[in-house]
Amino acid sequence: MEDLTGDGGVRKEELRPGTGQTVPLAASVAVKYSGYLEHRDEPFCTNCYSKSPGLMKLGKDVTLGGLEIGLLTMKKGEGARFVFTPDYAYGRQGCPPLIPPNATVMFEVEVLDFLDTDESDAFFELTPEQQDTFPLQKVLNVADTERQFGNYLYRKRRFKGAKDRYKRAFSILHRSPSSEEEQHQINASKLLVLLNLSLTYLKLECPARALAYGEKALEIDQRNAKALFRCGQACLCMTEYEKSRDFLVRAQHIQPFNHDINNELKKLASCYKDYIEKEKEMCSRMFASLKASD
């Protein structure tokens, strides 16, 4: 095994190679892990039964020194086995009743994903006045990191958490530009976040909010097919059929061969047909009731 610390305190055996860069300092990391005591087949701790482990912040959520050292040598998709001596694990006292004193432990770890959130986390610890002094490019980088964090949560179907990250990203994009180019950069970043918010609110079954964010996106780009599509979906959820058709037809004109748009128009036609039939049935019952009362 590779000696990572020079004193044998953290040793590593790569089980499966990863790809891309190694995990950076202060990153937020999603890992699967199992911890074992010597001569024990069953883990004393594991999260391998979880379908979607949450992101852990290095230096904050990862409290085992040896594990943090090991994670900083890993890449996305990599699997590894580590051995930690007591000084890099649970110390001389252990952690009764699970961990005896002076225990050497073995961890099997797989890095599922990670986000380099160091700059973003540091930015949001500043006061609003301090944030205003940051160069625009750094603010855009922070907003993009928050959006990526939201995308990660969205893929895990954690829609409320995703919505909060998207809103955090949007909250810092209200800079006054000093040039047309800066305005273009701000608008491009806003547009991505607004489209994410519109979609996430649809998942949260809040179509009115989805429509509001979709319309904000259209204020930036009135021919954005995704924004028109989201607005059409939201209106359909609210049974505002005419508005839904208007948005969807505009989207179809821009992307005539988009299957999602065309399928949504078919869904709209079916819903509207059912609505008309129910209206007719209701009117028939009302007239029948009036006639019977005469």
Side-chain angles (χ1 to χ4, degrees):
M1 301 182 82
E2 180 185 1
D3 185 354
L4 299 182
T5 53
D7 60 0
V10 180
R11 289 172 288 157
K12 174 184 178 181
E13 176 188 0
E14 185 181 280
L15 303 176
R16 182 176 59 258
T19 57
Q21 71 176 103
T22 56
V23 174
L25 283 167
S28 295
V29 190
V31 300
K32 282 194 174 183
Y33 64 83
S34 294
Y36 298 85
L37 294 169
E38 287 184 293
H39 314 301
R40 301 279 181 88
D41 294 330
E42 293 296 319
F44 63 83
C45 69
T46 184
N47 72 343
C48 287
Y49 302 113
S50 173
K51 290 183 179 180
S52 56
L55 288 165
M56 299 187 296
K57 175 81 172 170
L58 294 181
K60 181 181 178 182
D61 302 319
V62 180
T63 56
L64 209 63
L67 182 57
E68 182 156 358
I69 291 170
L71 284 170
L72 290 171
T73 70
M74 298 182 73
K75 299 177 180 180
K76 184 177 178 179
E78 180 179 343
R81 180 178 292 125
F82 297 96
V83 174
F84 309 139
T85 60
D87 286 343
Y88 294 90
Y90 298 94
R92 295 182 180 180
Q93 302 299 317
C95 188
L98 287 177
I99 313 297
N102 288 315
T104 294
V105 297
M106 187 268 286
F107 269 74
E108 291 186 351
V109 180
E110 178 187 0
V111 173
L112 304 175
D113 205 350
F114 67 84
L115 291 170
D116 188 356
T117 57
D118 190 26
E119 184 178 37
S120 177
D121 293 335
F123 179 86
F124 283 103
E125 289 177 1
L126 301 175
T127 65
E129 292 75 20
Q130 290 172 321
Q131 292 177 3
D132 287 341
T133 65
F134 262 54
L136 176 62
Q137 196 55 53
K138 283 197 172 184
V139 174
L140 294 176
N141 289 342
V142 169
D144 189 58
T145 298
E146 289 299 308
R147 188 178 66 84
Q148 289 180 41
F149 206 144
N151 290 348
Y152 172 84
L153 294 171
Y154 181 91
R155 291 193 297 270
K156 300 297 181 182
R157 303 189 65 79
R158 298 177 181 177
F159 301 124
K160 288 185 178 180
K163 174 258 296 179
D164 291 340
R165 287 288 171 169
Y166 295 142
K167 281 192 169 184
R168 199 152 90 137
F170 191 66
S171 71
I172 63 172
L173 291 173
H174 300 290
R175 287 292 184 94
S176 298
S178 59
S179 67
E180 188 175 336
E181 174 59 25
E182 284 194 357
Q183 185 65 68
H184 177 75
Q185 290 178 307
I186 293 170
N187 283 346
S189 188
K190 278 185 176 180
L191 185 59
L192 291 173
V193 176
L194 289 168
L195 290 171
N196 288 147
L197 277 166
S198 183
L199 177 59
T200 304
Y201 271 112
L202 283 172
K203 293 295 185 180
L204 289 169
E205 299 181 356
C206 299
R209 300 299 297 274
L211 176 60
Y213 282 110
E215 289 179 326
K216 282 181 181 290
L218 290 172
E219 291 174 10
I220 296 173
D221 179 6
Q222 61 182 353
R223 286 182 54 80
N224 188 281
K226 279 189 178 180
L228 290 166
F229 177 56
R230 300 278 177 257
C231 290
Q233 286 181 296
C235 289
L236 179 54
C237 289
M238 294 187 289
T239 67
E240 295 184 12
Y241 299 122
E242 292 298 327
K243 285 183 68 175
S244 177
R245 185 179 184 280
D246 178 60
F247 282 121
L248 292 173
V249 168
R250 286 163 63 191
Q252 189 184 53
H253 285 163
I254 298 165
Q255 293 186 1
F257 302 110
N258 185 301
H259 291 296
D260 291 333
I261 296 171
N262 292 332
N263 287 337
E264 198 71 10
L265 278 165
K266 291 177 184 177
K267 180 180 175 182
L268 168 63
S270 176
C271 291
Y272 187 67
K273 181 181 177 182
D274 290 344
Y275 167 75
I276 292 298
E277 288 178 354
K278 286 179 181 178
E279 286 289 300
K280 287 180 178 178
E281 183 180 346
M282 187 184 302
C283 289
S284 297
R285 288 178 179 176
M286 288 176 61
F287 284 123
S289 176
L290 289 170
K291 188 175 182 181
S293 63
D294 289 342

